[in-house]
Amino acid sequence: MKTQLVIVESPTKAKTISQFLGKGYRIESSYGHVRDLPKSKLGIDVDNNFEPKYIIPMKARKLVTALKKEAKKSETIILATDEDREGEAIAWHLAQVLGLDEMKAKRIVFHEITKSAIEEAIANPRKLNLHLVDAQQARRILDRLVGYKLSPFLWKKVAGGLSAGRVQSVTLRLIVDRENEIRSFKPQEYWTIETELTREKGGQETFTATLAKRNGKTLNKFAIPKKENAEKVAAELKRAAFTLASLEHKELSKSPAPPFTTSTLQQEGAKRLHFSAKRTMMLAQRLYEEGHITYMRTDAVNLSAESTAAAKAWLAGNLGDAYAAVAPRFYKAKSKLAQEAHEAVRPTRPDFTPDAFQGEPASQKLYELIWQRFMASQMPNAKIASITADIVTGDKKYTLRTTGQRIAFDGYLKIWPHKLEERELPDFKEGESLTLKAVNPSQHFTEPPPRYSEATLIKTLEEFGIGRPSTYAPTISVIQTRNYVIKEAGRFKPTDIGELVAKVLLEHFPDIVDINFTAHMEHQLDEVADGHESWQTLIGEFYGPFAKRLAEKYEEVSKQEFIPETTNEVCEKCGKPMVVKMSRFGKFLACSGFPECKNTKKLNRDGTEKAPPKSTGLKCPTCKEGEIVERYVSRGRARGKMFWGCSRYPKCTYATWENPTGEPPEKETKTEETEP
C-alpha cells in the first residue's frame, strides 16, 4: 500500500507532526533549502533577465536522492513547509527537484502544530503560491547582486575580507550615524529644585515636591540654566510660606500590549531576558516545532476565536471572572509590513502554563514570556489611582508639584511583569499650610542619545521598514561576525573598519545605505508577493543604475584614499617608515616597504601599539616548540577574557582556560585576533 509523503523543513517539526497523522503518512525533513545559488560564483545571468542558476549543494545531495526514492514509493506528496515566503520557496524548490508539476503539487500551511490545525490543513490543500516564491527569489537575487558585486569593490579599494549587504549596510549606517551624533553632542547644563515638606498639622511625615511653575507658567527643562540661578530660587523658597493649593484625583486606565509579533518578541527577549535576537529566534523556532507556540515569523497581531475563548476560560477558572476580559480583545498591527502571517505569536494551548513546561531553562523562560504576553492581552485594564498636589508660595510666585499613585485594580498586571511603583501621599486637605524642611537644587547635563541596544535597533529597523522582522537576527549577527560592530555594556559600537565601510558606502553608493530607498525596496517586494509587479522588472530597475555606478567607482576611487596616516615609527627590519593600514580586524602598523618587507604590528582601537603576549616560560605541551603565552578573547561573549595558548599560533592551536602556572591571572582587558 502506497503512503502519503509529507515533507517539512526540520526533523523536530517532522517528529511533532508524526504524532497527529496515522500510519498512512510518512513524514520526512528537507533540512531547509534543497537548492540554492552557488557560493563560488554569482549564479545569476544578468544578461538573460536575471535568471538564477540554482544548484543542489553538496550537503543536500544525499538527502535529495533519498527524498526522490520516497516520492516514487508514495501515492501523494504533500509539501508542508512554513507558511511565509521562505517556506513557500522551499516548497517550490522541493517540487522542482522531485519533478512535481508546480501547478498540481499539494501544498498545506498551518500556523500552529496541533492536531486540529494539521488535520484541517491536510483536508484543505492548496496550490503553490508562485507570487510568494517570486518575492523570495527577488529578495535573494537582490541580496546576491549587492553582496557579490559590491564586496569585491571593498576588497580592492579598502581591505580584504570585507562584505556589503543590502540590509546589513543600512543597519551599520544607523549604528555609525548614532556614534557620530554622540561624538558631536555638546552637553547643556540645567538645574532642578526638589523640596522636602511636612504638614504643619497631622504628623511629621515628610514628602518631596518639585518646582514646576514660576508666575503661573510651567518651567521648561532649561528654565534654571546655572548654579547662581538655582541658588537665587532656593533662597526665595527658604523664606516663603507654603499652602496646598489644589488636589486632583484621577483614575488612570492602563491597557495591555498586543500579543507578540516577531519584532516585539525579539525586543522583549532582549530587554527582559537579555537574549540576542538570534537566540530568541532559535529558541522560538524550537518551541514552534515542538508544538508549544504558533508560527514565530509573523507581522500580525490577529488572534483566533478559539485561542481567545481558551484564554478566557483559563483566566476565569484560575484567577476569577474579574481577571477575564468581558469580550475578546482584538488588536491592529502598527507595522507597515504586517501582511505575511495569520496570527500573532501565542501559546498553542493557553491552559499549558509555564510551570508545566519541561525543557531547558532558556526555552522555558521564552515560553513563559510568550504565554504571559498572550494571556495579559486578554485581561482587563489595570486601574491606577493617581493624585496630583500643587503647592504654592505665599506670594503665588512659585508652584511646587508632587504626585502619588497606587494600583486600584491590577488587571492584566497580575500576569504581566511590571515596574510600576506605588507612591503614597499624606492625607492632604486643600488650603492647609505646609512647612519647608529642605531645598535641594540639583545640577544636570543633557546626555547624548544612547547607542543602540538589540531591542532599540530592532525597533528602529521596524519603524523605518528596513528588512523584515525575520531578517533582523541574521543581519545583526553578520555585522558582529564581520567585526563591523562590537557590543559594549549591551549596546552596539562601530569598530574602525565598520565606520570606514559605512563612510565608503555613503560617499560612493548612497542608494545602498539610504534608509528610504531600502524601505521602498521592501514595498516593491510586497508588490511582487501580491502579484502586482514582476520580480524581473524590480531587479532590472535596481541593477542597471547600480552596475553603472559600480563600474564608474572602480575607475574613480583609488585605494590610496583609504590608506591613512604615516607615522614617525621606523621598521626595525628594514629601516623604512611604518604606516597605519586597515584590515577587517581594524588598524595595524605595516612597513611602507611592502611587499619587499612584510613587517606588521598590531594596534589597539585607540591607535596605540599592542604589547606582545606575556610568556609564562613554559613549553607548549602539544608542539614542544612554542611557549605558553597569555592571550585574550577578541570576540563573542567571552571577549576580553584571558586564556593561555601557544606562541606559534596559528601553526599550533593549543589553548586552555586554566592557568598552567597555577597563579591567578592579572586583571587586564586586552584583545587579540586569536582565541581558543
Side-chain angles (χ1 to χ4, degrees), residues 287 354-355 357-369:
L287 290 172
D355 291 340
F357 186 93
Q358 298 293 321
E360 61 170 325
S363 293
Q364 196 273 342
K365 287 179 181 177
L366 189 64
Y367 178 76
E368 181 178 38
L369 192 68

Side-chain angles (χ1 to χ4, degrees), residues 165-175 461 466 505 511-516 518:
R166 189 177 60 88
V167 178
Q168 80 177 58
S169 297
V170 184
T171 306
L172 174 62
R173 180 193 173 172
L174 287 172
I175 295 170
L461 291 171
I466 298 168
L505 294 177
D511 282 355
I512 296 298
V513 290
D514 182 81
I515 292 168
N516 293 326
T518 307

Side-chain angles (χ1 to χ4, degrees), residues 459-496:
K459 185 177 181 181
T460 303
L461 291 171
E462 184 177 37
E463 286 175 350
F464 283 122
I466 298 168
R468 283 270 176 187
S470 59
T471 67
Y472 298 158
T475 297
I476 292 171
S477 178
V478 77
I479 59 175
Q480 292 179 87
T481 302
R482 290 289 179 183
N483 196 42
Y484 290 167
V485 302
I486 57 173
K487 260 189 178 181
E488 287 188 358
R491 294 185 177 269
F492 293 111
K493 180 179 181 180
T495 61
D496 291 333

Side-chain angles (χ1 to χ4, degrees), residues 529-581:
D530 291 336
H532 299 150
E533 185 172 355
S534 158
W535 70 264
Q536 292 95 340
T537 301
L538 185 158
I539 302 293
E541 289 175 351
F542 165 80
Y543 186 71
F546 171 70
K548 181 182 178 183
R549 178 181 286 272
L550 185 62
E552 292 170 350
K553 292 302 176 181
Y554 265 109
E555 297 298 323
E556 293 175 12
V557 179
S558 166
K559 188 166 185 175
Q560 296 300 121
E561 182 180 336
F562 309 115
I563 298 180
E565 313 162 51
T566 57
T567 70
N568 295 324
E569 189 163 343
V570 174
C571 175
E572 66 271 21
K573 292 186 178 179
C574 71
K576 290 184 179 179
M578 298 289 280
V579 295
V580 177
K581 288 190 176 182

Side-chain angles (χ1 to χ4, degrees), residues 182-200:
I182 293 169
R183 288 194 188 111
S184 62
F185 180 81
K186 291 181 173 56
Q188 187 173 348
E189 181 183 6
Y190 67 98
W191 288 71
T192 59
I193 295 179
E194 190 176 82
T195 62
E196 295 178 26
L197 299 138
T198 61
R199 302 171 68 194
E200 287 190 356

Side-chain angles (χ1 to χ4, degrees), residues 333-386:
K334 294 180 181 179
S335 171
K336 300 173 185 176
L337 308 177
Q339 295 181 30
E340 283 197 345
H342 300 300
E343 268 199 86
V345 184
R346 61 164 176 82
T348 54
R349 286 179 48 203
D351 61 342
F352 183 68
T353 64
D355 291 340
F357 186 93
Q358 298 293 321
E360 61 170 325
S363 293
Q364 196 273 342
K365 287 179 181 177
L366 189 64
Y367 178 76
E368 181 178 38
L369 192 68
I370 294 168
W371 185 88
Q372 288 174 331
R373 178 77 164 228
F374 166 69
M375 297 301 285
S377 77
Q378 297 305 304
M379 296 175 72
N381 290 0
K383 304 295 183 182
I384 313 297
S386 169

Side-chain angles (χ1 to χ4, degrees), residues 235-242 393-395 398 434 436:
E236 292 182 24
L237 290 174
K238 287 176 182 177
R239 297 192 296 267
F242 295 89
T393 54
D395 58 4
Y398 295 108
L434 301 169
L436 182 71

